[in-house]
Amino acid sequence: MNDEEGNRAVSRRRALQVGSAFGAASLAGCLGFFDDGQSADIPPLSEFRGSGSLVDGRPAPGGTSIEDLPNLSGDLALYIGGGESGIYYEFVEMLEDIYPDFEVHSTDNSSSSLAQTIVEEADAGAAQADVFWSIDASSLGFVAENDAYEPLSDEAVEAVGNSQFVGDDNAWAGVAGRARAVPYNTNELSESDIPTTVQDFPDADALQGTMGWAPTYGAFKAFVTAMRLLRGDDETRNWLQSMSEAGTERRGNEYAVSEAVANGSLSAGFANHYYAMRVKNNRPDAPIDLAFTEGDAGALINVAGALKVQGTQKGELVDNFVRHLLSAEAQEYFATISFAYPMISGVEPVGGLPTIDELSPPDIDLAELADIEPTLELMDEAGVSG
């Protein structure tokens, strides 16, 4: 999905089929009824699932079903940003299909641009959005730090299994996670060849001249920002220079890094976890696996999340919308379509990935990742300009 700015009302689609049939039964039947008399067609579970080798045979998701949530009704102005927004639009369209009286009017752009717009509109007392759905926590943090939000209800955020993925004062709630990882070629390396901290990578004999990265990619810049916050500018600059001197090759994006690892032109690389999952889903026999570092910037977990915009007159609808994003169906959708980490405990990650609770992310406030300008200057100084 590109980051072009646009405005649109998400169209209704009556028969959205995003996955092959993994069983005809829904979580709780195909038709739900709500207390206000409105009926809603709940699609079968197969329509909330992707397809491919990593998805086949998954257990039914746990958590709260859409059928057990209050109905969505009314118009909602949504600011939505980031590279996964096309996947998110499709889920919103499914909600519109389920609830005939619910319609979303969306504006899309980069998450950082929309965050700036929200703050400017709040300062002018002229909020145009009810809810902000961002691809990254740093943009949510920027809005929160500028007091351009209203707290989500406790009910809206209670499904999130880890408090790290809920903003202070319930400013935002994570809805889909992505973990930094090290994809490696299993024909060339074993997991034991991958150090448990990225600080040791420049001196690892097995990785010399065999790794790839994508410095222009936003997730890589967030990773470097996390390292700068955890280790300081000097050590981060030295690390970048040392990795460059060790022969780390540049690729245009992190999917390209993961593809190169699977093809054997790289032995390992730096990437978000889901790119290797996409390769593996399409090529089950590809010689690629993931290693995870521990407690450092290389173990960063970032999230896409939702925030209630200051000045909205539809706070209850926003809360209910966020609850739907954290429903069993939504979390299964994000996990099997984009291979994101689920935010609720009842949904498993794909492909035998460790759960979020089994990973060891650094102790860092994700909102601080918004401080990217010093990172760009540092990368330029290190000769690894993004």
Side-chain angles (χ1 to χ4, degrees):
M1 183 71 183
N2 62 43
D3 284 337
E4 281 185 17
E5 184 175 12
N7 295 281
R8 59 175 170 173
V10 179
S11 60
R12 292 192 173 92
R13 293 187 294 174
R14 284 291 160 195
L16 178 64
Q17 183 70 41
V18 296
S20 56
F22 293 101
S26 71
L27 293 172
C30 292
L31 188 65
F33 295 95
F34 299 92
D35 291 341
D36 63 357
Q38 174 181 300
S39 63
D41 290 319
I42 309 297
L45 177 58
S46 61
E47 292 198 23
F48 293 100
R49 276 188 170 167
S51 60
S53 63
L54 298 184
V55 177
D56 196 4
R58 280 173 61 83
T64 301
S65 171
I66 286 174
E67 189 176 44
D68 297 322
L69 294 175
N71 66 293
L72 293 169
S73 180
D75 292 351
L76 196 65
L78 170 68
Y79 281 5
I80 184 166
E84 302 296 324
S85 58
I87 293 171
Y88 300 155
Y89 278 129
E90 289 187 347
F91 183 75
V92 171
E93 288 172 341
M94 295 182 80
L95 291 180
E96 289 187 312
D97 284 350
I98 292 169
Y99 301 107
D101 295 332
F102 177 61
E103 186 168 11
V104 173
H105 303 272
S106 61
T107 297
D108 60 273
N109 202 337
S110 70
S111 288
S112 57
S113 295
L114 289 172
Q116 185 66 48
T117 297
I118 289 169
V119 171
E120 291 172 354
E121 290 175 348
D123 288 344
Q128 300 298 307
D130 299 307
V131 60
F132 177 34
W133 190 349
S134 169
I135 192 66
D136 62 81
S138 61
S139 295
L140 298 168
F142 177 80
V143 174
E145 288 172 1
N146 284 274
D147 295 323
Y149 76 97
E150 295 185 6
L152 293 165
S153 69
D154 289 341
E155 254 190 334
V157 306
E158 65 182 359
V160 180
N162 188 318
S163 60
Q164 183 180 7
F165 308 128
V166 175
D168 292 342
D169 190 36
N170 288 0
W172 50 268
V175 299
R178 57 189 184 276
R180 296 301 293 171
V182 180
Y184 66 93
N185 186 293
T186 56
N187 291 336
E188 302 293 332
L189 300 171
S190 64
E191 187 176 8
S192 62
D193 291 318
I194 312 297
T196 57
T197 173
V198 292
Q199 306 308 129
D200 293 334
F201 278 41
D203 298 322
D205 291 338
L207 303 181
Q208 297 297 304
T210 68
M211 290 202 69
W213 58 16
T216 62
Y217 198 61
F220 185 85
K221 296 172 186 176
F223 154 65
V224 176
T225 301
M227 185 183 295
R228 183 175 59 79
L229 294 171
L230 292 166
R231 312 287 298 200
D233 286 6
D234 290 343
E235 188 170 343
T236 302
R237 186 185 302 105
N238 290 338
W239 184 86
L240 289 168
Q241 291 171 336
S242 295
M243 287 301 303
S244 184
E245 291 166 0
T248 306
E249 297 183 16
R250 178 186 291 250
R251 293 291 190 273
N253 57 63
E254 292 187 346
Y255 182 76
V257 170
S258 300
E259 279 277 19
V261 169
N263 294 337
S265 57
L266 295 172
S267 294
F270 298 102
N272 281 340
H273 80 277
Y274 50 70
Y275 292 116
M277 294 295 98
R278 292 175 186 180
V279 172
K280 198 74 173 176
N281 195 54
N282 293 326
R283 299 163 53 193
D285 296 327
I288 187 171
D289 205 345
L290 290 174
F292 297 88
T293 61
E294 299 175 3
D296 65 358
L300 180 70
I301 301 175
N302 205 338
V303 295
L307 172 149
K308 186 189 300 183
V309 176
Q310 183 187 60
T312 178
Q313 301 300 306
K314 300 180 179 179
E316 185 175 348
L317 178 57
V318 173
D319 286 332
N320 194 16
F321 178 71
V322 173
R323 292 180 70 188
H324 279 73
L325 301 185
L326 292 166
S327 67
E329 293 91 339
Q331 293 294 294
E332 181 73 2
Y333 181 86
F334 301 145
T336 62
I337 299 293
S338 68
F339 303 112
Y341 263 100
M343 291 286 100
I344 68 174
S345 59
V347 179
E348 297 181 2
V350 297
L353 285 169
T355 66
I356 278 187
D357 290 341
E358 293 172 326
L359 297 177
S360 301
D363 184 12
I364 190 170
D365 182 354
L366 294 176
E368 293 184 21
L369 299 178
D371 187 23
I372 195 172
E373 286 303 321
T375 298
L376 301 180
E377 294 175 7
L378 185 150
M379 289 175 66
D380 189 55
E381 293 167 2
V384 189
S385 178

